[in-house]
Amino acid sequence: MNEQYVLDLREIDRTQLAVAGGKGAHLGALSRIEGVRVPDGFCVTTDAFRRTMAQAPSIEDELDRLARVAPDDRDAIRTLSARIRRTIEETAVPDDITAAITHALARLGEDTACAVRSSATAEDLPTASFAGQQDTYLNVVGTPAILRHVSRCWASLFTERAVTYRRRNGIDDRTVHMAVVVQRMVFPQAAGILFTADPVTGNRKVATVDAGYGLGEALVSGLVNPDVFKVRDGEVVAKEIAAKQRAVHALPGGGTQEVTIDAERQEQPALTDAQAVRLVRLGRRIEAHFGRPQDIEWCLVDDDFRIVQSRPITTLFPVPETGDQENHVYVSVGHQQMMTDAMKPLGLSMWRLTAMAPMHEAGGRLFVDVTPRLASPAARAGLLDIVGRGDPLVRDALETVLDRGDFVPSRPDQSPAGPPRGGASAPIETDPAIVTELIERSQESVAALRRDIRTKSGPELFDFLLEAFAEHKRVLGDRLSMQVIMAGMEATWWLNDKLQEWLGEKNAADTLTLSAPGNITSEMGLELLDVADVIRPHPQVVAFLQGVGDENFLDELAKLPGGTEARDAIEAYLDRYGMRCAGEIDITRPRWSERPGTLVPAILDNVRNFAPGAARQRFEQGLREARKKEQDVLSRLRALPDGDRKADETKRMIDRVRTFIGYREYPKYGIVSRYFVYKQALLEEAERLVRAGVLAEREDVFYLTFQEFHEVVRSQRVDHRLIRQREDAFRTYQALTPPRVLTSDGEALNGAYRRDDAPDGALIGLAVSAGTVEGRARVVLDMAQADLQAGDILVTAYTDPSWSPLFVGIAGLVTEVGGLMTHGAVIAREYGLPAVVGVDQATRLIRDGQRIRVHGSDGYVELLP
């Protein structure tokens, strides 16, 4: 009977999480690794915890109350969790459990000093470490004291911080149980933490050792700064020795105390270089056993290391799997597509199947391997040039890797470099009919897709979709389409470069491209102003929309005076733009047609902030400003030496940019239009699986790849456990921030602006739309939660085309992600909004409601008092 309540650590392996908790399972696994010394001990199992909890029925009522508390009600969580802890500590431990613990202690030695450590079933997991969330007690002596501290560990499952952490990670309090590890206490000369991957850079080949005197508690509690050793390839490559004035030591009768370190020892290293290297070698063995980087607690006793804990490092961004040992450099796709959130497996696989370049997945994001281009001197120059114009931070991150000299070997060029970049080099005429033809081709292709997919279902649908993906890529890779996009971009660069050289004008193209024709994304924003014009005259419709709480409101609208016109206007808008949404490259994201309520805040902002006819007025105003700028530039050029030639060249480039730059947004619109057709067909297939009892719910297919979904349809069987694992992994990935550049060593690089031309304290970014504006910052992370007033400056993480309806009502834009030719920058210029993008941590550093000044020509943001 005793064995179910107490297990020796050496009897436990890492599969016994439910019995021994995370810490116990890891310590049991550690004790089985050859050459790894773990202090002797045993585990009081979760069976003992559950049996003791059954002695206190009132806990069930308290857990019911706790479950009903809102996650942000800290006072209620504090009160209820304290009550539960007190109840647990006051509950008598059943006699047979007490006897089992006493028997296990006798094997260690009845008066042996022990560490008594919490081991919850939701801790030290690959997805959530729960580090420090429950309690540990050191140097506990005597059976009564140890029994008392076992109860305290059980109670610590309900500390306020542990309950809050579980809420944040979506873990139900009732599903978590507590085991307790009791180990022979070790009295080390030094102790600390070993990270087998650099926790700051993510580099998997650099281990970091933190070390201090005495017990590791001094480091964990922040009492002292540690010595830090960086170890790579068997040698210390960097170290910082701290002044360690204090340490925590064990007292002879139990407990611990802080002591002062002798002055002559304070600045001596706690470890020798040889010991640090030996410790890392031990850590690599542990890492290999668990199959992922580890956060390891260690103690040094008589020049021998004891390992007292090992848990996964949960904050590292994953590395794409390649199956080789070569060095690779990856560039984030999300930073180019303005969608840095984690994507679900169906979204990832669909984007990969329809993308023009091979992509690698890591952490729920996609990356392109640019190593071959970096290795070729000619291709490298072109790559750095093109990414540098789009996002200087990506270029800086790539150059940081290249500057090391040995990570990317240089290889001879296999083919000559491409033609030099320049506005005059694109081999197409400046002819608006070319754009008209391309748009018609795209529309015809989408219409054919809609027509042909209607009759497809079952495995036949998936075969059809694979053919549709080929057509998708053909449309996307249309040579003429690419030429038009490049012609518009190159003309923009030419104008900015030449007019700065000749006239000292910064970003002159920003004004010259105002109200350029044919920009589907800017039209989308202006047309929502027209929807507001239909709604504004009907007060009951406006009042109704202010209280919209679900997605069926369009049916209700028709019952109100003016409601039929309002509904028709919204539905006409959705017919043209309903396939869009935030994060639209992920097919699993809900589209506006699926959740039309997303648009309601923007419509109401437009009703409140604008007068009738605002869309037409704004477009015409932009047109006037662009023409005035053109006349001004050309007249100033003609006054220069060789001015007629310069003016004539500039006029040709202005015509070229205005002809082609609007088309820059259309291919994405075509892609997303096709995506919505794919999604509707796939969801119908998922509905069939639900009706057949194969799936529990339709959205389960979002956690399958396209290929896996195909197989489920074919076999009519699904692995429900895989879907749950994928859901857990997706939640983990959502908490990670993807880097702009990632190496195969795991190093995450985000680049830096090498500038000193901004005021002290200013936030540096990339200038993408000229002008300076001062106003109230509105930090908005979800478009559906936007509440904007005229003159506000929108501050957000990133903007894809779906955010464009908000642009008509703001005075400026600041984003954390973006480049010169990404959608937010293009539309900001189109609307004449001063904009700075690529501002690291803008949504954290700028407070909602704070006054800021955006310098759109110079690329920085000032925080105003």
Side-chain angles (χ1 to χ4, degrees):
M1 186 72 175
N2 292 347
E3 288 145 11
Q4 64 180 333
Y5 296 133
V6 171
L7 291 172
D8 189 281
L9 283 180
R10 285 166 295 194
E11 298 177 73
I12 300 168
D13 63 37
R14 57 177 162 163
T15 66
Q16 292 173 275
L17 182 78
V19 173
K23 191 177 279 94
H26 275 80
L27 285 167
L30 281 167
S31 66
R32 294 161 177 257
I33 304 173
E34 186 178 350
V36 175
R37 297 191 63 183
V38 175
D40 293 339
F42 58 88
C43 181
V44 182
T45 68
T46 54
D47 286 343
F49 169 77
R50 277 190 289 263
R51 169 87 187 284
T52 305
M53 292 307 95
Q55 307 285 104
S58 64
I59 287 178
E60 283 299 313
D61 296 333
E62 300 292 353
L63 286 173
D64 285 340
R65 292 189 189 94
L66 189 58
R68 291 193 293 269
V69 170
D72 56 353
D73 190 345
R74 296 188 63 179
D75 289 340
I77 290 174
R78 186 181 303 117
T79 301
L80 285 167
S81 58
R83 197 179 300 160
I84 293 170
R85 287 198 307 278
R86 190 164 55 250
T87 301
I88 293 171
E89 288 187 36
E90 291 172 355
T91 299
V93 179
D95 291 345
D96 49 350
I97 295 175
T98 299
I101 295 171
T102 303
H103 181 71
L105 282 170
R107 290 200 301 270
L108 287 179
E110 194 167 327
D111 293 322
T112 298
C114 292
V116 183
R117 313 172 70 193
S118 302
S119 180
T121 53
E123 72 174 17
D124 297 348
L125 307 175
T127 57
S129 71
F130 279 75
Q133 298 305 313
Q134 283 94 33
D135 290 346
T136 284
Y137 301 95
L138 300 178
N139 200 29
V140 182
V141 180
T143 300
I146 287 171
L147 286 166
R148 189 164 61 251
H149 283 86
V150 167
S151 289
R152 287 182 180 174
C153 283
W154 285 338
S156 75
L157 188 62
F158 293 97
T159 61
E160 181 188 352
R161 64 181 182 272
V163 171
T164 302
Y165 191 94
R166 286 195 291 274
R167 295 288 177 91
R168 198 176 302 132
N169 284 273
I171 297 171
D172 185 344
D173 293 319
R174 293 177 185 278
T175 65
V176 184
H177 303 290
M178 182 70 86
V180 180
V181 172
V182 180
Q183 284 177 282
R184 187 188 301 277
M185 187 71 190
V186 293
F187 303 98
Q189 290 83 50
I193 311 292
L194 161 63
F195 298 96
T196 64
D198 190 313
V200 177
T201 69
N203 195 321
R204 298 336 192 242
K205 292 188 176 177
V206 176
T208 300
V209 178
D210 289 0
Y213 292 130
L215 294 167
E217 187 64 22
L219 303 188
V220 173
S221 65
L223 181 66
V224 297
N225 291 325
D227 297 340
V228 180
F229 299 81
K230 302 265 186 197
V231 178
R232 178 172 185 144
D233 297 331
E235 64 175 313
V236 175
V237 294
K239 63 181 172 182
E240 294 178 19
I241 305 305
K244 301 170 289 297
Q245 297 176 342
R246 303 184 70 73
V248 175
H249 284 178
L251 292 168
T256 62
Q257 71 172 10
E258 292 179 19
V259 298
T260 301
I261 302 297
D262 295 339
E264 65 273 12
R265 290 184 64 219
Q266 287 180 5
E267 297 194 25
Q268 292 178 3
L271 293 179
T272 65
D273 284 10
Q275 286 171 330
V277 169
R278 182 153 49 92
L279 175 60
V280 169
R281 198 176 301 130
L282 192 61
R284 292 288 180 219
R285 190 178 302 169
I286 295 169
E287 178 185 67
H289 180 83
F290 289 116
R292 58 185 300 155
Q294 297 288 300
D295 164 356
I296 298 167
E297 297 175 25
W298 56 268
C299 297
L300 180 68
V301 183
D302 299 327
D303 197 36
D304 194 15
F305 287 104
R306 306 286 201 281
I307 303 301
V308 294
Q309 180 57 307
S310 184
R311 61 173 70 89
I313 307 176
T314 59
T315 55
L316 297 175
F317 198 86
V319 179
E321 294 180 11
T322 58
D324 63 37
Q325 299 302 309
E326 301 293 317
N327 288 347
H328 295 271
V329 181
Y330 303 98
V331 170
S332 163
V333 172
H335 285 81
Q336 313 304 311
Q337 291 293 335
M338 298 299 94
M339 206 321 242
T340 54
D341 295 347
M343 295 169 68
K344 292 173 183 167
L346 186 62
L348 289 165
S349 66
M350 291 286 283
W351 192 258
R352 292 174 79 174
L353 284 165
T354 53
M356 299 302 292
M359 293 182 181
H360 303 264
E361 185 270 327
R365 279 80 169 187
L366 292 170
F367 295 84
V368 173
D369 187 349
V370 296
T371 319
R373 294 184 69 183
L374 290 177
S376 159
R380 177 191 311 152
L383 174 67
L384 292 175
D385 182 44
I386 198 82
V387 300
R389 283 188 174 273
D391 185 344
L393 293 177
V394 175
R395 176 173 185 145
D396 185 79
L398 291 174
E399 287 178 333
T400 299
V401 176
L402 289 168
D403 287 346
R404 293 172 185 156
D406 58 351
F407 192 83
V408 179
S410 191
R411 299 191 179 106
D413 293 318
Q414 299 298 311
S415 57
R421 179 185 51 76
S425 65
I428 57 170
E429 295 298 317
T430 303
D431 182 359
I434 297 173
V435 174
T436 304
E437 178 192 344
L438 285 169
I439 290 174
E440 287 174 354
R441 282 192 210 170
S442 176
Q443 290 172 338
E444 288 167 5
S445 177
V446 174
L449 173 66
R450 282 200 188 98
R451 182 185 65 243
D452 296 343
I453 205 169
R454 285 180 190 142
T455 59
K456 306 298 187 293
S457 64
E460 183 189 9
L461 169 66
F462 290 83
D463 295 337
F464 171 82
L465 283 172
L466 289 173
E467 294 174 15
F469 297 162
E471 166 67 4
H472 182 120
K473 290 202 270 192
R474 188 198 64 74
V475 172
L476 194 56
D478 185 301
R479 184 168 178 271
L480 185 60
S481 178
M482 299 301 293
Q483 286 176 311
V484 167
I485 292 170
M486 287 309 300
M489 291 169 66
E490 287 171 344
T492 303
W493 297 333
W494 189 97
L495 286 166
N496 282 337
D497 292 349
K498 291 298 185 183
L499 294 180
Q500 178 147 24
E501 177 189 340
W502 293 337
L503 298 176
E505 284 254 359
K506 269 188 183 178
N507 304 318
D510 293 0
T511 306
L512 292 167
T513 54
L514 288 171
S515 296
N519 187 315
I520 189 75
T521 308
S522 63
E523 289 169 1
M524 180 171 70
L526 294 175
E527 286 180 33
L528 203 62
L529 287 173
D530 294 334
V531 173
D533 285 353
V534 175
I535 290 170
R536 192 180 293 105
H538 305 292
Q540 286 180 263
V541 171
V542 173
F544 172 78
L545 289 177
Q546 286 168 343
V548 163
D550 61 42
E551 301 305 333
N552 299 317
F553 69 94
L554 289 173
D555 295 333
E556 298 297 313
L557 263 182
K559 301 173 184 176
L560 301 171
T564 301
E565 297 96 312
R567 182 194 63 193
D568 291 348
I570 294 171
E571 287 183 341
Y573 186 85
L574 291 172
D575 284 345
R576 190 169 188 206
Y577 302 113
M579 77 295 289
R580 309 220 82 147
C581 67
E584 61 195 8
I585 71 169
D586 183 352
I587 199 170
T588 71
R589 291 287 193 106
R591 311 283 136 174
W592 289 344
S593 285
E594 296 168 315
R595 291 193 186 167
T598 305
L599 291 172
V600 169
I603 293 171
L604 291 172
D605 284 348
N606 289 347
V607 168
R608 183 175 65 246
N609 297 332
F610 292 94
R616 184 177 182 83
Q617 291 165 15
R618 286 184 67 106
F619 187 81
E620 290 176 348
Q621 180 187 346
L623 209 53
R624 286 193 297 273
E625 288 181 30
R627 286 171 179 160
K628 182 180 175 185
K629 185 69 173 178
E630 177 180 334
Q631 291 166 3
D632 172 60
V633 164
L634 295 178
S635 65
R636 288 162 62 199
L637 285 172
R638 289 194 179 98
L640 299 176
D642 198 20
D644 287 343
R645 179 189 63 80
K646 291 173 180 172
D648 289 346
E649 284 187 27
T650 300
K651 172 60 175 165
R652 284 197 297 275
M653 285 301 168
I654 292 172
D655 291 344
R656 194 167 181 77
V657 79
R658 291 193 66 81
T659 299
F660 292 137
I661 199 65
Y663 178 74
R664 165 72 177 78
E665 293 291 297
Y666 201 88
K668 182 78 173 284
Y669 176 78
I671 291 170
V672 177
S673 297
R674 296 181 71 88
Y675 258 44
F676 193 38
V677 179
Y678 304 153
K679 181 178 186 179
Q680 289 171 308
L682 289 170
L683 284 179
E684 285 178 20
E685 207 56 48
E687 289 279 14
R688 292 187 189 97
L689 292 171
V690 171
R691 289 195 295 271
V694 177
L695 290 179
E697 52 189 82
R698 189 176 69 163
E699 284 72 20
D700 281 353
V701 297
F702 293 165
Y703 297 97
L704 301 173
T705 66
F706 177 84
Q707 297 85 347
E708 289 165 346
F709 189 0
H710 187 180
E711 178 57 24
V712 169
V713 168
R714 190 195 63 75
S715 67
Q716 294 291 294
R717 288 196 305 273
V718 70
D719 183 347
H720 293 285
R721 187 178 55 185
L722 174 67
I723 289 172
R724 300 288 87 84
Q725 287 171 350
R726 295 268 179 81
E727 286 179 326
D728 291 342
F730 176 70
R731 274 195 294 271
T732 305
Y733 297 153
Q734 284 179 300
L736 299 176
T737 301
R740 283 176 167 82
V741 171
L742 181 67
T743 73
S744 49
D745 283 356
E747 187 174 6
L749 300 106
N750 279 298
Y753 294 106
R754 312 293 175 177
R755 294 173 47 186
D756 56 8
D757 59 346
D760 289 345
L763 307 181
I764 306 297
L766 177 62
V768 295
S769 186
T772 301
V773 66
E774 182 179 316
R776 180 180 68 158
R778 295 313 309 261
V779 179
V780 179
L781 299 179
D782 180 352
M783 179 181 158
Q785 304 301 316
D787 180 15
L788 298 166
Q789 301 283 347
D792 283 349
I793 297 168
L794 175 62
V795 179
T796 190
Y798 60 81
T799 59
D800 59 11
S802 71
W803 286 74
S804 299
L806 299 186
F807 283 25
V808 297
I810 60 175
L813 174 69
V814 179
T815 69
E816 295 178 343
V817 176
L820 195 61
M821 297 307 295
T822 48
H823 300 278
V826 170
I827 305 307
R829 291 194 291 272
E830 176 77 15
Y831 288 166
L833 300 174
V836 179
V837 303
V839 180
D840 191 36
Q841 298 190 63
T843 59
R844 296 185 186 93
L845 298 175
I846 299 173
R847 298 189 317 275
D848 185 49
Q850 181 175 18
R851 290 196 68 77
I852 61 174
R853 188 179 296 126
V854 177
H855 294 262
S857 302
D858 298 307
Y860 63 87
V861 179
E862 288 183 279
L863 308 180
L864 303 177

